[in-house]
Amino acid sequence: MSGYRLSAGGTLVDPATRLSFRFDDKAYQGLAGDSLASALLAGGVSLFGRSFKYHRRRGLFAAGPEEPNALVELRGGARREPNLKAPVVELYDGLEAWSQNRWPSLTFDLMAVNGLLDKLFVAGFYYKTFKWPSSFWEKLYEPLIRRAAGLGRLSGEPDPDSYETATAHADLLVVGSGPAGLLAARTAARAGRRVILVERDARLGGSLLTTRRTIDGQPGAAWAAAVEAELAAAPHVRILRRTTVFGTYDGGQFGALERVADHLPVPPPHCPRQRAWTLVAGEAIVAAGAIERPIVFPGNDLPGVMLAGALRHYAVGYGAAAGRAVTLFTANDSGWHAAADLIASGVTVAAVIDPRADVAPALTAAVAAGSGRALAGARLRRALGGKALEAIDVDLPGGGSDRIATDALGVSGNWQPDIQLATHRGDRPVWSDAHAAFTAGKLPPGIRLAGAAAGTFRLADIFAAGGTEAAVDLEGAALTPFWHVGGSKGAGKAFVDFQHDVTDADVALAAREGYVSVEHLKRYTTLGMATDQGRTANLNGLAILAELTGRTIPQTGITTMRPPVEPVAIGALAGHHRAMAFRPRRLPPIHMVAVEREAQMIEVGPWWRAQWFPLPHETDWQQSVDREVTTVRKAVGVCDMSTLGKIEVFGPDAAAFLTRLCANSVMKLAVGRCAYFLMLREDGYAYDDGTVARLGPERFVMTCSTAHAAKVYEQVEYARQVLFPEMDVVVQSATEQWAQLALAGPRARDVLARIVDPGFDLSGAAFPPVACAETTVLGGVRARLFRLTFSGELAFEIAVPARRGADLMRRLLIAGQDFGIVPYGTEAVGAMRIEKGHPVGSEINGQTSAHMLGLGAFAERKHDCIGRVLAARPYLTDPARGRLVGLKPVDRAARLRAGAHLLPKGPDATAAHDQGWITSVAHSPTLGCWIGLGFLAHGDKRHAEIVRAYDPVRGGDVEVEVVAPCFVDPEGNRARA
Amino acid sequence: MLITCPFCGLRDAAEFTYRGDAAPVRPAADAGEAAFFDYVYLRDNPAGPIREHWFHRAGCHGWVTVTRDTRTHAIESVVPVEATVAAEAVVAAEAAVAVEAEGGAR
Ligand SMILES: [Zn+2]
């Protein structure tokens, strides 16, 4: 194979603009408009890559994304991208690409020795070879396979480019801008409809650009340009170039990937590399064309063997000839038209071989006029060559055979309409004998096919359906199904799937071993499972399987086609949603105070919360958190609780409604009082906890955990609207409307007194524990006060309208200055709640029951509430399942870790002796050691016992003392101060 | 996928939260463990139309009953849950009336 540039040039390239590029570190020159494949072909390159399994030498095969062989790594450094198909990589000046799957170099590949071991690498070789002993798998087999396999390498660095997502709507989406697509878009645009026309390549025109067809006497490309100009000028028409529609989804939605800057060395500033579109269209016309099917014969993977349409594509479009003496092997008219176009482009065609005896004389005459041999009724027996194709053996029509020297062979079995987008929603393709291909059966609503995708191959027929043009190139489309030239001994391998090295013999072996279902064939041989998804391989594999099992192709079936049609980078689907923009970050009302105080921030659910507030001299987070805890316990601190979910409940049935929702009775709650509540799921497990405050006879506000806020609100609405619609009650989420601060510590009342407006009595008698009231603070700011404590200290929660939250925080910090007030973050909150034994998400994790939490009495109620019945099941109440306990290391200097298992002292550390686990730990500055909470079988009866906290993952094995879950002030005297 | 909220109109399915089969009805408080077990755990898995509960989270906060074909995702109808409840009441009332009428005729 010795490709070169034709003097006639091509429709897509500009001979005046030369581009320099490198392939495998060697310098080449191409033309503006070239693809990487066409430039390498014209530059005389024949070896493009190595196959996956046998590391065989492979050349360029196709002209589009169906390319199985010419895979490259593109760009260096952090932008390196593997597995790109050379035919769809647009050339730019300075492009750098490398071949893949070879070691140490493309021309000398040591792994090619695999080819000598082909008896080992037959169908199902993974299943057969690497079966036993199992101990070999991890140490030997897997590393071996990993080294041998793998197509291309990722950069391993963060992608420096940006990606975005976008949505567009239209009356009509047209996929493909070949003749059928352009006609459809033009008709709709003239009718004033909103049209989106999507083209995979940089230019509109499809096959018109790379074949020598005429429309009304002008070249097809000129006609396409005229239609493009009309569409560009039409209102309501959007043209997306370099865009692949990769999937059809529900509701008229389509996924598409626009390669915005892939044809440039580096995207311009503020320009994304790729854009993932959601296209929503009332109707869609899929004119995606057809994919040429090759024929399987011995030696068919030699570099130089290509699809006939690809030879034509490169010659007409790019002026790139694949060889000096080209031959074609075709079983349909398109191969002859390819030969005629090649001759007209200045390529020497040595012979056209066609098993059909009755080829139209007009077709053979064009080849003979170009002094090529027109061999109708002949058969190619095999291809021969060393490093590349050198000759073919042909059985001649009258008997006898001939060896014809050739360096490029174009193959065409026939054309498979590209119907993928019509089948993504589950509609099965149907076999068409007339096309020898699968065509769309029942179409999903709103989707139609046009042109070659609909099985309409003749240009004249396409125009008859949608055009007004008078004279359209007449082109034949006759065919005879022809799949496979069987190999004789020594003839060489005949490949079905090039990229995965699946041969006709592999298909036969699979059939012999009983893998006669097409889905089994695929998985057993890996046929069609490579990056090209077997676009040029699947149908041949199917036909050979059908032949071997004596069935027809429709009886044999077809594998399901799923999106995406072509590989789509996850980064493109993510768009801007990465790193800090991964999801929207919600900032609580006091955020600016946290920023001013240089708080360490942490993500809690959707919120960005202050984790701790370091002072300048503090070097370690533990110092800061210990100081915050100690200050709260000894003086006073203030903490933002605004992110807790807040749900307001109103109405005559509000109390009865909450009693159904909560495991404890809210019905009896007095006005002006709060209560702790536990919510169960209907299956009896604990769901969430919080507090509920009765602000009036028919007015409640409940808080729930930050992480569960949205889900709990949804559940409350479900209860109101679906479960108990007869109740007269209204609920409203108020999480965002109120800022809520906790003021805690022995001096909390003294600080609060300085900001509460005069007239409100904060004394213990007037405002005792669990009291709540509505009042004003800071001179007329509406406020709700709750005497609730999470830290166990004398504490108040103050809620003000959200916009006043930061102001309240600043004013409290000023008011408490002479008491030594500190702001404290989530870590200190966590440490203090463990000191007090309050369960949170680590304990209420969806697997724990009220009984395990020590709240069994809550669930044992007479009146109806969600979860009451199933919470009584023995498994949920069994003390052997664990009870909440506190844990202290026997060696007070030892560290505890959450996740450690609890085991009795003595027996082996095995699962059989597992008695529980540690759920949360914290360093307690109050006790001066690490403490933890956990669940331990019969734990409530085992206080003072010593058990093991066993943590094999992190190498921990610590003796711990079982204590009551409350470590600090178990009598609750401080809270009552 | 698009869902026509009976309150808000045609909206993207991403605005909604899926809950599940709308058929199970919460048993009476005294119905016993077996009835609650069925209510919580037992679900049909039809290939075809199914009535489901969805929550219009990023919209009106209304729970709606969506009738969807599990084979095609085609949505046949979307109604407020109240209407469903009311419709069931109507069906039940009609059945009761029919039984009564039948009894009368007998
Ligand atoms: Zn709505």
Side-chain angles (χ1 to χ4, degrees), chain B residues 70-97:
Chain B
T70 55
R71 296 163 303 181
T72 62
H73 295 179
I75 290 173
E76 191 182 293
S77 71
V78 188
V79 294
V81 283
E82 287 92 337
T84 319
V85 171
E88 277 163 359
V90 168
V91 170
E94 280 171 353
V97 167

Side-chain angles (χ1 to χ4, degrees), chain B residues 5-9 11 15-16 56-62 64:
Chain B
C5 175
F7 308 108
C8 311
R11 296 298 186 99
E15 291 186 5
F16 294 79
H56 197 184
R57 185 193 71 252
C60 60
H61 292 186
V64 295

Side-chain angles (χ1 to χ4, degrees), chain A residues 35-268:
Chain A
S35 68
L36 175 59
S38 68
L40 287 171
L41 194 66
V45 171
S46 66
L47 180 57
F48 278 70
R50 291 273 180 172
S51 68
F52 181 66
K53 208 158 76 181
Y54 302 132
H55 288 246
R56 284 170 75 101
R57 308 165 68 88
R58 292 283 163 78
L60 181 64
F61 189 72
E66 67 273 23
E67 172 63 40
N69 294 339
L71 303 184
V72 296
E73 278 174 16
L74 194 66
R75 301 185 170 91
R79 288 194 166 85
R80 186 169 71 201
E81 194 179 350
N83 295 338
L84 290 165
K85 285 140 186 154
V88 295
V89 173
E90 289 181 53
L91 195 67
Y92 54 81
D93 199 50
L95 178 145
E96 284 194 279
W98 293 265
S99 60
Q100 298 186 168
N101 209 28
R102 40 75 177 173
W103 184 79
S105 77
L106 184 57
T107 46
F108 178 73
D109 185 342
L110 285 174
M111 299 298 276
V113 72
N114 283 359
L116 303 175
L117 304 174
D118 61 341
K119 291 291 179 288
L120 186 70
F121 283 82
V122 293
F125 86 106
Y126 287 106
Y127 307 112
K128 288 170 178 165
T129 311
F130 301 113
K131 230 163 37 180
W132 61 269
S134 58
S135 61
F136 275 31
W137 179 256
E138 203 177 314
K139 290 198 176 67
L140 182 64
Y141 295 151
E142 194 182 328
L144 191 75
I145 292 171
R146 291 220 177 276
R147 179 136 27 97
L151 292 161
R153 303 160 301 157
L154 289 165
S155 76
E157 293 172 48
D159 190 333
D161 296 324
S162 68
Y163 298 81
E164 68 182 27
T165 55
T167 304
H169 297 77
D171 298 319
L172 177 70
L173 168 69
V174 180
V175 182
S177 75
L182 285 176
L183 283 172
R186 187 180 72 178
T187 304
R190 284 178 180 173
R193 301 178 74 197
R194 287 184 306 162
V195 178
I196 297 175
L197 173 62
V198 181
E199 168 53 47
R200 193 183 65 208
D201 293 331
R203 286 178 57 181
L204 304 192
S207 63
L208 294 174
L209 302 177
T210 55
T211 56
R212 294 179 171 271
R213 291 161 144 181
T214 57
I215 296 161
D216 276 349
Q218 57 179 334
W223 178 86
V227 177
E228 180 175 354
E230 180 181 341
L231 291 174
H236 316 310
V237 175
R238 181 199 290 267
I239 301 172
L240 295 175
R241 293 177 183 78
R242 298 187 173 98
T243 305
T244 301
V245 177
F246 61 75
T248 306
Y249 302 94
D250 302 314
Q253 295 193 25
F254 298 82
L257 183 73
E258 183 181 4
R259 291 170 292 274
V260 184
D262 274 359
H263 62 295
L264 303 171
V266 172

